[in-house]
Amino acid sequence: MKFREIIAIVKGELITKIAKLDMDVTHISAADLMSDVLAFAEPESILLTGLCNPQVVCTAEMADIVAIIFVRDKKPPPETISLAEEERIPLVSTPYSMFEACGCLYQAGLRDIHIPDE
Amino acid sequence: MGIQNNSAIPASQITRLHELVYELEISQVMTREVITVTPQTSMTEVREILQRHRISGIPVLEHGELVGIISIEDLIKALAGGEMDARVGEKMTPNPIVLSANEPLVLSVDYFNRYGFGRFPIVNEQGKMVGILTPSDVTQGLLKKLEVEYHEEEIRRYRASHIFEDVISDHTSIFLHYIIASRDFKQAGAASRNIKRTLTHLGIPRPIIRRAAIATYEAEINIIIHTDDFGGLITAEIRPDAIIIGALDLGPGIADVEQAKRRGFSTAPDWIREMGFGAGMGLTNIEKCADEMYLESPFGSRTTLRVTIYMDEHLPIGRREA
């Protein structure tokens, strides 16, 4: 699915100059615990989080996360935005809660990590 | 969003172009030297100007103020109607739609699509005309920017990825050293980011880089969270066959290494947890990324962590030392 469609699904607002609207995304990771992201996030996935500090961007960069969506209308501080622009990671803010945002994206066919078949 | 998208174009190219459309300002691609006429100019003169400069439209200024646009379509109408003696003021499109110089380029793409005009006068914050923008300015501006970036990237990558072939020695490796201050969360990740960037420039496969980056970042965070006033050191040795990440600090050491490796165990204070760390996964994560991991941390003394990641992607992951 295109990033632009994902933004539309969560009624998101782009908050960086970096957009990458046409990149294809198949996986979503949702976490407030950055170590969870580092341990389990799928490379090339989008991160949904409620944390707004610059470490979120740094974590995303290390884990090859391609974009970050902040839930509950959170707007990250300027240092987070400038780091994201430097690392070329687009940031989006959604009015939905973590639960709602995940639900909408799951319904649209997006998934978390690849879970091997039993 | 107003950008016409053709999904048949390779996604990688489109993505960068789309980004540039957002990053560049109109002022960066517009034509600054604008040929203008006044409402008193005759249509015959307009024809000469259009021919001489091979352009298709001219802004009309009166006392320095933008009052209209006269285009090749207006000229054709005048020709057909035998009105070549008419003045520009009678034939122009008055009060043209303008764009601001400091708007992102994407807005102009939207305007060209929406209005179907061949050009827009560009104005500054005071409303003075400072340039003109045509679709060909947009294309050329984007191509120029792409070309510059491509060259810069090529040169960097070439120089970097050949370093191991160019240098002759029995063992060649690149050593990177970063001093990590204790409890300085503002700088957290700076060493890891720089190591990742270096590995990328060296052309190392992405899955390898990712494992090295995650291990380094967790180690860096650990030093920031847990060390005494002296902080520590992050090193990266890049060899043709492996990356060896080192994390050294002067204490206080880990009381119980087995306990520290247990998922969920942490001695991190609350303020660290608020940052999204300190959930007791650091060492587990590092181990997961490593082909080999060596940890020595007598309590009350220095900690040495060494993580080896082999360049050969086909080596089974998890070939670790206990």
Side-chain angles (χ1 to χ4, degrees):
Chain A
M1 187 180 291
K2 297 283 182 203
F3 183 39
R4 71 165 77 237
E5 298 172 70
I6 290 171
I7 298 176
I9 288 168
V10 298
K11 298 194 168 49
E13 179 197 342
L14 194 66
I15 42 187
T16 40
K17 276 192 204 163
I18 308 292
K20 300 191 178 176
L21 297 174
D22 277 279
M23 68 182 165
D24 283 302
V25 181
T26 52
H27 288 84
I28 303 283
S29 312
D32 285 344
L33 188 57
M34 293 301 107
S35 282
D36 266 349
V37 177
L38 292 170
F40 303 116
E42 193 77 7
E44 318 294 322
S45 66
I46 289 181
L47 173 65
L48 258 71
T49 186
L51 273 189
C52 288
N53 62 60
Q55 292 315 312
V56 176
V57 176
C58 206
T59 302
E61 168 63 13
M62 295 308 138
D64 290 342
I65 299 282
V66 292
I68 303 169
I69 300 177
F70 298 103
V71 297
R72 283 196 194 280
D73 240 343
K74 288 183 186 172
K75 301 288 188 297
E79 57 264 33
T80 300
I81 296 174
S82 62
L83 184 63
E85 288 179 344
E86 191 187 326
E87 297 291 354
R88 319 195 62 75
I89 298 174
L91 304 181
V92 168
S93 175
T94 171
Y96 291 145
S97 69
M98 181 76 107
F99 180 78
E100 286 278 339
C102 288
C104 294
L105 293 171
Y106 191 91
Q107 206 163 31
L110 290 151
R111 291 295 177 266
D112 200 328
I113 50 171
H114 290 295
I115 299 164
D117 294 330
E118 291 293 321
Chain B
M1 287 280 181
I3 305 167
Q4 298 301 305
N5 172 30
N6 179 353
S7 56
I9 298 170
S12 56
Q13 280 298 312
I14 272 288
T15 300
R16 187 63 194 123
L17 264 182
H18 272 90
E19 279 175 53
L20 283 177
V21 165
Y22 280 86
E23 283 170 34
L24 288 173
E25 278 184 6
I26 288 174
S27 62
Q28 289 174 278
V29 307
M30 69 185 188
T31 301
R32 286 170 187 278
E33 277 136 43
V34 188
I35 295 150
T36 61
V37 291
T38 69
Q40 288 72 45
T41 310
S42 74
M43 292 306 282
T44 312
E45 284 173 88
V46 167
R47 189 186 71 188
E48 281 163 18
I49 295 170
L50 290 179
Q51 274 179 337
R52 187 164 357 117
H53 298 284
R54 296 173 170 272
I55 53 179
S56 58
I58 317 171
V60 184
L61 297 192
E62 186 163 38
H63 312 301
E65 297 289 328
L66 181 70
V67 293
I69 272 222
I70 188 93
S71 70
I72 204 157
E73 290 84 23
D74 300 320
L75 181 79
I76 290 167
K77 275 186 217 151
L79 265 174
E83 297 173 295
M84 290 304 283
D85 292 335
R87 300 286 145 182
V88 164
E90 305 157 37
K91 298 290 163 199
M92 68 183 188
T93 306
N95 306 317
I97 295 165
V98 297
L99 278 160
S100 292
N102 56 9
E103 294 282 4
L105 201 52
V106 66
L107 188 68
S108 76
V109 177
D110 185 30
Y111 268 48
F112 282 120
N113 286 334
R114 197 183 327 164
Y115 296 105
F117 296 152
R119 68 211 64 74
F120 287 100
I122 308 301
V123 296
N124 64 13
E125 278 157 20
Q126 289 75 42
K128 282 266 176 250
M129 192 182 73
V130 289
I132 194 157
L133 190 76
T134 65
S136 118
D137 290 327
V138 177
T139 315
Q140 290 202 1
L142 287 172
L143 284 176
K144 213 178 274 174
K145 181 84 178 162
L146 268 184
E147 192 184 56
V148 168
E149 287 190 358
Y150 179 74
H151 274 296
E152 284 170 356
E153 185 59 26
E154 276 289 280
I155 291 166
R156 236 192 340 245
R157 211 173 275 267
Y158 177 81
R159 285 199 189 130
S161 60
H162 284 66
I163 195 155
F164 286 116
E165 293 156 38
D166 292 346
V167 176
I168 297 168
S169 82
D170 290 335
H171 288 285
T172 304
S173 57
I174 299 170
F175 271 102
L176 309 173
H177 287 236
Y178 300 90
I179 294 161
I180 312 298
S182 170
R183 296 181 195 99
D184 182 5
F185 233 104
K186 271 218 167 95
Q187 289 299 312
S192 311
R193 276 164 50 219
N194 282 318
I195 290 173
K196 186 179 184 193
R197 211 168 284 174
T198 307
L199 296 175
T200 307
H201 286 160
L202 288 169
I204 288 159
R206 285 190 71 176
I208 305 274
I209 297 179
R210 186 172 190 262
R211 285 163 57 203
I214 290 175
T216 314
Y217 187 46
E218 289 281 14
E220 190 179 353
I221 296 279
N222 271 349
I223 292 179
I224 291 165
I225 296 176
H226 295 294
T227 58
D228 294 335
D229 301 339
F230 298 107
L233 191 67
I234 290 277
T235 62
E237 182 188 357
I238 308 162
R239 301 194 317 219
D241 64 325
I243 302 163
I244 299 139
I245 305 292
L248 307 161
D249 68 69
L250 296 174
I254 301 170
D256 182 341
V257 170
E258 283 315 307
Q259 192 181 33
K261 279 189 187 174
R262 204 176 306 146
R263 197 168 276 176
F265 177 85
S266 178
T267 56
D270 284 347
W271 66 273
I272 296 295
R273 293 172 195 261
E274 279 162 26
M275 309 285 290
F277 290 94
M281 292 181 50
L283 280 175
T284 329
N285 269 359
I286 292 170
E287 202 168 29
K288 202 172 145 190
C289 294
D291 286 320
E292 286 166 21
M293 178 167 123
Y294 169 83
L295 177 67
E296 193 192 342
S297 185
F299 190 54
S301 180
R302 51 196 289 172
T303 297
T304 310
L305 171 73
R306 201 166 54 231
V307 172
T308 307
I309 296 166
Y310 291 108
M311 295 288 188
D312 186 350
E313 276 181 90
H314 306 298
L315 261 181
I317 294 171
R319 243 194 48 182
R320 305 161 193 147
E321 283 173 356

